[in-house]
Structure formats: C-alpha cells, structure tokens
Amino acid sequence: MKTDLSTYNNAWYQPGGKLKQLAWYFVNVLFFINPLNPVSKIKISLLKLFGAKVGTGVVIKPGVNIKYPWLLEIGDYTWIGEKVWIDNLTQVTIGKNVCLSQEAMLLCGNHNYKKTTFDLMVGKITIEDGAWIGAKSVVCPGVKVQSHAILIVNSVANKDLNGFGIYQGNPAQFVRKRKIR
C-alpha cells in the first residue's frame, strides 16, 4: 500500500462558515501577519469580534498568525511574541501569564500516515497559567502544558508537560524542576 492523496477527504472537518473564514483570512493578513501593525489593542478587539475570548493586559506582537480565533481563549497578561503561529484547527486554551516566544508554533493538526488516505487528525492544546513556550518551539496536537512548565528554545512537545517542569529537545524531555523565587 502507498499513500494516495487523490483519495484525501476532510469533508467532516467544518471549523466555521466559509464567509466567516474568508473574512478572517483578510483580517489576519492585514492586522496580524502584517508586521506593520504593532498595536495589541486593535488585534484584541478584532479577535473578540471573531469570537475569541481574550483577557486583560494581553500583548500580541507583529507577525502573529492565528488560524481560527473563534477556537481561541487567551488569559490575562499573556504575551504572544513575533511570528507566533497558532494553527488552531480545534480549541486552543492559553492561560494567564503565559509567554509564547518568537516563532513558537501551536499545531492542532496532523495527518494519519498509517492510512493511504492521509486523514486529518486534530487535537486540542491547553497551555496552563505561567507556562513559557520558548522561541521556535512546537507544541503538537493534543498536548497539555501544565502550570508554569517551560519548553526550552527550539524544542518539540509531543506529549504533556508536567507543572513546573523544564523540558528540552525533540522530542522534549524533562531536564529539571522550575524554581520561582
């Protein structure tokens, strides 16, 4: 057996109406991905307009790409760094005081490589309060990053990260406990 992409069918996947998706596409390109808009308040208002739940004091840097804001929840005082990609094909919940550093990726989708049809698979991502996702790190579908865990620069979380743990590598492995003074 071989992969046959001509048989690929994700018709079951309906993340929102086509008009809503189209409208968001242009808003995302003009106000989020576009590095010329550094104003977080405008971005937050647009996210809320499209159904996102966004807390107080959230900072969204330029170049951020968000797939579907109606599947996004961001807690108070969270920072989203330059060129972060939130590919939320399903629900992404980001807690309070979370830091998503530059070019971090939250990927809610993958494909089933064991099937000839290469079926789409999606999994929710939860990042709890106080966690830090390092620059150029990836959080994979279905992963929960527990309270105050750290995913070090350029690491890949393909399984849950325990609270106050520091993780590094691909796949990310526990390095040590996080101590906050």
Side-chain angles (χ1 to χ4, degrees):
M1 295 294 250
K2 295 182 179 180
T3 300
D4 182 0
L5 294 179
S6 71
T7 62
Y8 178 77
N9 181 351
N10 70 342
W12 63 269
Y13 179 70
Q14 300 294 325
K18 296 292 182 198
L19 187 59
K20 184 180 191 179
Q21 288 181 48
L22 183 64
W24 174 251
Y25 174 82
F26 287 106
V27 168
N28 193 33
V29 168
L30 292 172
F31 292 95
F32 287 81
I33 297 171
N34 180 350
L36 299 177
N37 179 18
V39 184
S40 289
K41 288 186 180 192
I42 293 170
K43 295 174 195 175
I44 290 164
S45 296
L46 290 167
L47 284 174
K48 288 179 178 179
L49 180 68
F50 277 87
K53 296 175 185 162
V54 183
T56 302
V58 171
V59 174
I60 302 173
K61 295 291 192 173
V64 171
N65 186 1
I66 298 171
K67 184 70 108 189
Y68 301 126
W70 49 92
L71 299 174
L72 180 61
E73 184 174 339
I74 305 170
D76 298 339
Y77 304 102
T78 286
W79 299 347
I80 300 176
E82 289 88 350
K83 297 183 182 177
V84 165
W85 182 15
I86 302 175
D87 191 28
N88 59 327
L89 298 174
T90 189
Q91 184 66 38
V92 167
T93 303
I94 302 168
K96 298 175 183 175
N97 301 296
V98 170
C99 180
L100 302 178
S101 291
Q102 303 87 337
E103 297 187 46
M105 298 172 69
L106 307 183
L107 302 178
C108 290
N110 203 346
H111 294 277
N112 188 343
Y113 63 88
K114 295 178 182 178
K115 294 187 124 189
T116 60
T117 53
F118 207 53
D119 296 348
L120 176 66
M121 303 181 307
V122 296
K124 297 177 182 181
I125 291 175
T126 301
I127 301 177
E128 294 182 350
D129 296 351
W132 179 13
I133 307 302
K136 296 188 177 185
S137 290
V138 178
V139 179
C140 293
V143 169
K144 179 186 243 184
V145 178
Q146 294 180 359
S147 176
H148 293 82
I150 297 174
L151 183 61
I152 290 179
V153 171
N154 211 25
S155 295
V156 178
N158 62 0
K159 62 183 179 184
D160 293 353
L161 306 183
N162 292 326
F164 289 88
I166 300 174
Y167 293 82
Q168 180 178 23
N170 181 7
Q173 300 294 317
F174 176 80
V175 176
R176 66 185 170 277
K177 282 298 243 184
R178 178 180 185 183
K179 296 176 184 169
I180 299 176
R181 298 177 204 170

